[in-house]
Amino acid sequence: MFDGVAKRYDLTNTVLALRQDRSWRRAVAQALDLRAGERALDLAAGTGTSSEPFADAGVLTVPCDFLPGHAPGRPGPASRPALHRR
């Protein structure tokens, strides 16, 4: 089911959550308080959207998900070297 909606998952999530998903991601980033050079493993990362703020801050971020359909809709390591997909 999720593989079929992977390309539009982020947009659907934002609409259904009334844009609150962005504030949830910010709250998680603040709570974890990870710094550049530290490492983060994002389990059940879906499309990797939740991992991007950490990668942007210089955190070595590895998003992984058991559904392979999620990763193709997101930028890969070639365009975002700080994000390592597994």
Side-chain angles (χ1 to χ4, degrees), residues 23-79:
S23 65
W24 299 335
R25 283 193 287 277
R26 278 194 303 274
V28 168
Q30 288 175 344
L32 292 176
D33 194 30
L34 295 173
R35 309 291 175 161
E38 293 185 309
R39 297 176 183 183
L41 175 62
D42 187 356
L43 299 173
T47 60
T49 302
S50 297
S51 301
E52 289 177 348
F54 299 111
D56 291 342
V59 175
L60 176 62
T61 307
V62 180
C64 51
D65 199 284
F66 63 94
L67 296 172
H70 281 281
R74 305 298 305 162
S79 60

